[in-house]
Amino acid sequence: FAPWSLAWLAPVGIAALVLAVQRQGPVGGGLAGGAYGVVFFGMTLWWLSESIAVAAWSAIVLTQAVWLVATGVAMTLVRDLPAWPIWTALVWTTVETARSLVPWGGVPWGRLGYTAVDAPWSGVLAVGGVAGAGTLVVLMGAAAANLVMAVARRRNGRGLTRPMVATTAGVGEMVWVVL
């Protein structure tokens, strides 16, 4: 987001969150999501701190971070499902849509789809809107995390599982087609 506008970091940030919650239970996933949320919204909404009281800015940041607590919990619940990167993207998009509506009529600032404006995947905005672009960003991040985990498992001698390879290949193919 402005002023940095480094859209390619959006999937990297999601991959980091996915890796952070991957071995956690729901409580750990919620804590990781909350920490991610505080940092993310603190940095994304920094400009509000110059126009409203620090307490009000802090309340907005913390309220928005609670949504990412829910996201972290939900990510731990879908990680064992087949094609979990797709489920992770659906969880993110669902929570992000709810966050854009509640509280105070919603706070849509920081939706991942907004990062697509200057990105190679900006064409998704015309077809899927902000929600579709955000879903694609999460898919890219989750697929990257899946690949990292596959390489780690391979190094540990456990090999690559067919579902892992199929999911990563399928998400990679979807991203390739969209781009």
Side-chain angles (χ1 to χ4, degrees):
F1 297 101
W4 302 284
S5 299
L6 300 169
W8 59 273
L9 284 177
V12 174
I14 293 297
L17 176 60
V18 168
L19 291 170
V21 302
Q22 203 49 230
R23 293 186 179 171
Q24 301 295 321
V27 172
L31 290 172
Y36 182 94
V38 167
V39 172
F40 176 75
F41 289 111
M43 292 179 67
T44 302
L45 302 177
W46 63 270
W47 54 274
L48 280 174
S49 66
E50 296 177 6
S51 58
I52 62 175
V54 173
W57 172 80
S58 299
I60 291 172
V61 168
L62 291 175
T63 301
Q64 295 306 294
V66 168
W67 285 105
L68 285 175
V69 169
T71 302
V73 170
M75 289 169 80
T76 66
L77 300 176
V78 302
R79 71 171 170 232
D80 294 326
L81 295 174
W84 67 264
I86 295 169
W87 287 103
T88 298
L90 293 175
V91 161
W92 184 280
T93 302
T94 301
V95 173
E96 194 172 67
T97 300
R99 183 178 68 76
S100 297
L101 300 171
V102 177
W104 312 305
V107 180
W109 298 316
R111 290 188 71 174
L112 283 180
Y114 295 145
T115 65
V117 172
D118 295 324
W121 51 88
S122 63
V124 176
L125 287 168
V127 177
V130 174
T135 302
L136 178 64
V137 169
V138 178
L139 270 173
M140 289 188 293
N146 195 30
L147 185 61
V148 167
M149 290 184 296
V151 169
R153 284 187 182 111
R154 179 136 176 106
R155 284 187 180 165
N156 292 335
R158 294 195 316 213
L160 300 176
T161 65
R162 284 188 180 130
M164 188 183 307
V165 172
T167 300
T168 302
V171 170
E173 181 67 24
M174 286 178 8
V175 170
W176 178 257
V177 167
V178 169
L179 297 179

